[in-house]
Amino acid sequence: MLDYDEEAERYDVLRGGEPRAAAAAEAVLSLVPRQARCLLDVACGTGIVTRLFPRARPGLRVTGADLSASMTRLAAGRLPGAVVRADSRRLPFRDACFDAVVSVWLLHLLTDPGDVRAVIRECARVLRPGGVYVTTVHKGLSHNVGSDIDAVLADRPPSPVPDAPGTVASRAAGQGLVPAGEARFRGHGQGRSPRRTADDLRRGWFVTLPPGHPLVDDFATRLAALPDQSRPRPDPVFTLQAFRRTP
């Protein structure tokens, strides 16, 4: 897994910047009821998406939480006084205190099934009855756009899929959360090029191919043989699912 403290300063630039953030915020808010007054963004990262929620919904009070110290610092600069450093498995908030809870690009990082259960349990715990939990699902699949890069990467060792839609829905149901909608958004600027993919491989981007893995150089060589080394392939399209907490 990437070191998010180390990645913080360049995180937004490498992941679509403002266009991607705007697309994500719009899709999330399409699933959040208009009457919601307080929203928690779990694993808010740099806050580039989080800060857009109150801009689009005047009167919406937003709180961000992230475990990375560097990410939290950047987010706090964008939302002064509204960001806390916290572990998503043990949120420092009382029961039933938010109208909406969001976790975008988090569950796919949790390779321990117990951690997935813990995060969803905590998100449900801090939701008021009738509140909505919104999360991305199957992020890894979103990056498979049927390109020549994907054909090369198809041979890599399979990764666990902790954020599979069925898994998330099952964990949500166990916490009294029922399906409440779905939305998609484009990951602007995240289309992979062969050169960037090889760099990401060497930096440890892929869970089953950590730096130093004997297959990393083999995949990098195969990627280097592809045409148009700097041309990004199509952007991924991410999926959000929403769940409502029952009374």
Side-chain angles (χ1 to χ4, degrees):
M1 185 186 298
L2 291 178
D3 183 331
Y4 284 90
D5 279 319
E6 182 179 307
E7 286 285 305
E9 293 294 340
R10 58 182 176 177
Y11 186 87
D12 294 336
V13 172
L14 293 177
R15 290 164 181 81
E18 296 293 349
R20 186 190 76 152
E26 181 180 8
V28 168
L29 288 177
S30 75
L31 298 170
V32 173
R34 297 292 306 185
Q35 65 269 27
R37 289 294 172 264
C38 53
L39 178 150
L40 171 64
D41 191 1
V42 178
C44 67
T46 67
I48 191 172
V49 176
T50 320
R51 68 174 179 177
L52 298 178
F53 296 143
R55 291 184 185 180
R57 292 270 185 95
L60 180 65
R61 187 172 73 254
V62 173
T63 301
D66 201 279
L67 183 59
S68 163
S70 296
M71 291 287 196
T72 302
R73 175 178 53 79
L74 290 173
R78 286 171 162 155
L79 294 120
V83 178
V84 299
R85 188 179 180 197
D87 189 327
S88 57
R89 297 166 297 182
R90 295 180 293 277
L91 293 171
F93 307 106
R94 59 182 174 80
D95 295 355
C97 60
F98 292 99
D99 298 317
V101 177
V102 177
S103 65
V104 178
W105 302 305
L106 170 63
L107 299 182
H108 71 286
L109 299 173
L110 307 175
T111 54
D112 183 340
D115 288 342
V116 177
R117 285 193 296 270
V119 168
I120 294 177
R121 181 179 63 243
E122 280 293 274
C123 290
R125 179 184 66 79
V126 301
L127 266 181
R128 291 176 180 143
V132 171
Y133 171 52
V134 180
T135 187
T136 39
V137 294
H138 216 327
K139 180 179 182 289
L141 184 63
S142 301
H143 285 280
N144 189 336
V145 296
S147 70
D148 52 352
I149 294 172
D150 295 318
V152 170
L153 294 178
D155 294 335
R156 74 186 189 278
S159 298
V161 188
D163 62 338
T167 299
V168 175
S170 176
R171 300 288 183 259
Q175 300 302 321
L177 300 173
V178 298
E182 185 172 293
R184 290 180 174 82
F185 65 95
R186 181 181 166 197
H188 294 272
Q190 287 193 278
R192 291 170 171 160
S193 70
R195 182 171 289 113
R196 175 175 166 180
T197 304
D199 289 343
D200 288 341
L201 272 170
R202 293 189 174 100
R203 291 193 302 126
W205 187 279
F206 297 91
V207 173
T208 55
L209 290 172
H213 191 288
L215 290 177
V216 167
D217 286 341
D218 175 63
F219 278 99
T221 298
R222 292 166 64 186
L223 288 166
L226 296 178
D228 303 317
Q229 281 288 298
S230 297
R231 177 177 62 82
R233 278 38 172 184
D235 289 328
V237 175
F238 300 108
T239 299
L240 293 165
Q241 288 188 346
F243 301 89
R244 181 173 290 106
R245 183 180 172 185
T246 54

